[in-house]
């Protein structure tokens, strides 16, 4: 890939916020995936590429993280820049400074902000008042950074995106919402199986349906129906951060939504298994599937680094 050839897309992406995939075209997402693959190849060859030399990313964390923090911080270093970890306990937001004031202050110091938090509204307010790119590292509603890595992984393994079928089994959470948007944008058929009362966000469903010209979206309470002839099976934990008190209730509600050998037998023989991690083995997925030959979860996890690097390069770099 010649990273400088897509001049129009480069100019469209530079300086943008990355709050949800809703705001990005199929062509822009394709470019980010290809750029991530290019940067991965450069990394594997030991080639130094530093489009962010001298630049700094502020990383605000209201939710703890393994993959998000390490991929952004390591990614900035590899691209020649620096990431600064900002726990809300260490900055004035914890003591009542407004999001608007925080955005204006940080805009004077940094070249970009990544925030991992609970409320989508907090991310949007930060972006509204910042004059530098703001990246949604995760909210309770969406997880767009994870989807860039997911799409990169699917394309690496399957060689394409359009025309595949993805089955998501489990809680209709931020991953289910994000997968619907991504599938609709990229021409992937998606089936989501979740218990009654735990379905995806209705607004996200409507947005996905609005984009789904070349893909089908099925919401069901039947995991077998969702998984039939699937190319990809995806799941997530049954109780996300902030829902720990619901763990016991959710284990009962989701008991029939475990990804196990019996369920995956309904998928295509060459299906791949994906999980955004961390996983609770023997809850949403059995160890047999998690560690089996169809699992690409650690390839997917590594791609968080390369996808984040592509995103930061496109929004903040000089190509």
């Amino acid at each position: 890939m010649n990273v400088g050839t897509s001049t129009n897309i480069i100019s469209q992406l530079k300086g943008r916020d990355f709050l949800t995939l809703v705001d990005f075209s199929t062509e822009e997402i394709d470019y980010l995936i290809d750029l991530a693959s290019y940067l991965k190849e450069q990394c594997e060859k030991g080639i130094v590429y530093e489009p962010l030399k001298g630049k700094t990313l502020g990383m605000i964390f209201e939710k703890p993280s393994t993959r998000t923090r390490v991929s952004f911080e390591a990614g900035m270093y590899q691209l020649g820049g620096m990431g600064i970890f900002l726990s809300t306990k260490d900055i004035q937001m914890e003591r009542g400074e407004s999001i608007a004031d925080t955005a204006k202050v940080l805009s004077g110091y940094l070249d970009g902000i990544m925030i991992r938090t609970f409320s989508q509204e907090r991310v949007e307010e930060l972006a509204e008042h910042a004059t530098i790119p703001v990246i949604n590292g995760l909210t309770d509603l969406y997880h767009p950074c994870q989807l860039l890595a997911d799409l990169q992984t699917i394309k690496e393994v399957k060689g394409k995106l359009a025309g595949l079928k993805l089955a998501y089994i489990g809680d209709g959470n931020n991953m289910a919402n994000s997968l619907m948007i991504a599938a609709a944008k990229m021409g992937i058929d998606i089936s989501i199986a979740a218990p009654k009362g735990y379905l995806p966000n209705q607004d996200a469903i409507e947005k996905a349906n609005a984009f789904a010209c070349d893909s089908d979206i099925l919401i069901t309470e039947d995991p077998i129906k969702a998984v039939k002839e699937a190319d990809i099976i995806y799941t997530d934990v049954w109780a996300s951060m902030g829902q720990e008190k619901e763990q016991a209730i959710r284990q009962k509600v989701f008991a029939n939504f475990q990804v196990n050998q019996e369920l995956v037998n309904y998928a295509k023989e060459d299906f791949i298994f994906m999980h955004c991690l961390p996983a609770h083995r023997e809850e949403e997925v059995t160890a047999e599937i998690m560690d089996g030959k169809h699992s690409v979860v650690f390839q997917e996890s590594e791609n968080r680094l390369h996808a984040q690097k592509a995103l930061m390069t496109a929004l903040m770099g000089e190509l």
Side-chain angles (χ1 to χ4, degrees), residues 18-19 60-61 63 65 67-69 72 113-117 120 123 134-139 142-146 174 304 308 311:
F18 188 74
L19 310 184
I60 301 173
F61 283 87
K63 282 188 174 185
S65 169
R67 281 146 292 275
T68 299
R69 178 176 178 180
F72 271 104
I113 302 169
M114 187 283 298
I115 179 169
R116 180 180 171 93
T117 185
Q120 182 74 17
V123 176
V134 171
I135 297 170
N136 177 3
L138 173 142
T139 67
Y142 290 116
H143 196 357
C145 288
Q146 178 67 50
N174 52 8
R304 285 292 302 275
Q308 256 72 285
L311 182 61

Side-chain angles (χ1 to χ4, degrees), residues 102-167:
T102 301
K104 293 171 185 176
V105 169
L106 293 181
S107 293
Y109 300 146
L110 304 168
D111 300 287
I113 302 169
M114 187 283 298
I115 179 169
R116 180 180 171 93
T117 185
F118 293 89
S119 166
Q120 182 74 17
E121 288 72 24
R122 283 174 78 79
V123 176
E124 292 173 357
E125 185 178 356
L126 187 70
E128 180 183 353
H129 295 282
T131 57
I132 55 178
V134 171
I135 297 170
N136 177 3
L138 173 142
T139 67
D140 288 345
L141 187 60
Y142 290 116
H143 196 357
C145 288
Q146 178 67 50
L147 262 295
L148 288 182
D150 292 343
L151 293 172
Q152 179 188 353
T153 305
I154 294 168
K155 193 170 183 178
E156 284 177 351
V157 178
K158 294 294 185 181
K160 65 176 184 177
L161 296 173
L164 297 174
K165 178 184 176 180
L166 186 151

Side-chain angles (χ1 to χ4, degrees), residues 23-306:
D23 303 322
F24 288 75
S25 69
T26 301
E27 292 72 24
E28 289 168 339
I29 297 168
D30 261 329
Y31 176 79
L32 289 170
I33 295 168
D34 288 345
L35 180 56
S37 296
Y38 170 80
L39 293 176
K40 184 175 182 177
E41 291 173 4
Q42 300 300 294
C43 185
E44 290 173 345
K45 293 176 182 177
I47 297 173
V48 176
Y49 179 59
E50 298 184 330
L52 298 184
K53 191 171 184 177
K55 299 201 173 184
T56 308
L57 177 76
M59 306 182 300
I60 301 173
F61 283 87
E62 291 187 295
K63 282 188 174 185
S65 169
T66 299
R67 281 146 292 275
T68 299
R69 178 176 178 180
V70 176
S71 59
F72 271 104
E73 196 164 336
M76 279 298 294
Y77 175 79
Q78 291 178 17
L79 294 170
M82 180 176 69
I84 301 177
F85 175 76
L86 301 169
S87 165
T88 50
K89 294 181 180 179
D90 300 326
I91 59 177
Q92 296 299 322
M93 282 174 65
E94 182 75 6
R95 298 179 61 242
E97 183 169 38
S98 70
I99 295 175
D101 287 353
T102 301
K104 293 171 185 176
V105 169
L106 293 181
S107 293
Y109 300 146
L110 304 168
D111 300 287
I113 302 169
M114 187 283 298
I115 179 169
R116 180 180 171 93
T117 185
F118 293 89
S119 166
Q120 182 74 17
E121 288 72 24
R122 283 174 78 79
V123 176
E124 292 173 357
E125 185 178 356
L126 187 70
E128 180 183 353
H129 295 282
T131 57
I132 55 178
V134 171
I135 297 170
N136 177 3
L138 173 142
T139 67
D140 288 345
L141 187 60
Y142 290 116
H143 196 357
C145 288
Q146 178 67 50
L147 262 295
L148 288 182
D150 292 343
L151 293 172
Q152 179 188 353
T153 305
I154 294 168
K155 193 170 183 178
E156 284 177 351
V157 178
K158 294 294 185 181
K160 65 176 184 177
L161 296 173
L164 297 174
K165 178 184 176 180
L166 186 151
Y168 175 88
I169 311 298
D171 188 25
N173 58 15
N174 52 8
M175 282 309 308
N177 298 335
S178 300
L179 283 163
M180 281 192 302
I181 301 295
K185 291 268 186 177
M186 308 312 292
I188 300 170
D189 293 335
I190 183 167
S191 299
I192 294 180
K196 187 176 182 180
Y198 295 87
L199 299 176
N201 176 271
Q202 185 58 40
D203 183 60
I205 294 173
E206 292 174 3
K207 283 183 169 66
N209 277 312
F211 296 124
C213 298
D214 299 315
S215 58
D216 295 326
I217 299 173
L218 172 68
I219 311 294
T220 179
E221 296 174 32
D222 183 351
I224 292 175
K225 185 176 182 180
V227 165
K228 280 185 177 178
E229 294 302 305
D231 299 284
I232 306 133
I233 299 176
Y234 203 118
T235 193
D236 192 7
V237 294
W238 292 340
S240 299
M241 279 181 282
Q243 299 172 337
E244 288 81 4
K245 292 181 179 180
E246 302 175 29
Q247 181 71 32
I249 295 173
R250 285 172 172 261
Q251 282 182 322
K252 293 179 181 178
V253 172
F254 286 90
N256 294 325
F257 288 79
Q258 183 186 73
V259 177
N260 52 37
Q261 188 59 53
E262 182 180 357
L263 182 63
V264 303
N265 284 337
Y266 292 94
K268 290 182 179 177
E269 289 186 6
D270 62 345
F271 81 93
I272 59 173
F273 171 73
M274 305 183 74
H275 193 306
C276 55
L277 301 183
H280 294 169
R281 293 164 186 259
E282 306 306 332
E283 288 187 16
E284 73 273 8
V285 59
T286 61
E288 179 183 17
I289 300 300
M290 177 85 171
D291 299 322
K293 64 180 182 180
H294 296 277
S295 176
V296 297
V297 295
F298 296 109
Q299 179 178 345
E300 175 188 7
S301 177
E302 180 193 335
N303 282 341
R304 285 292 302 275
L305 171 65
H306 308 296

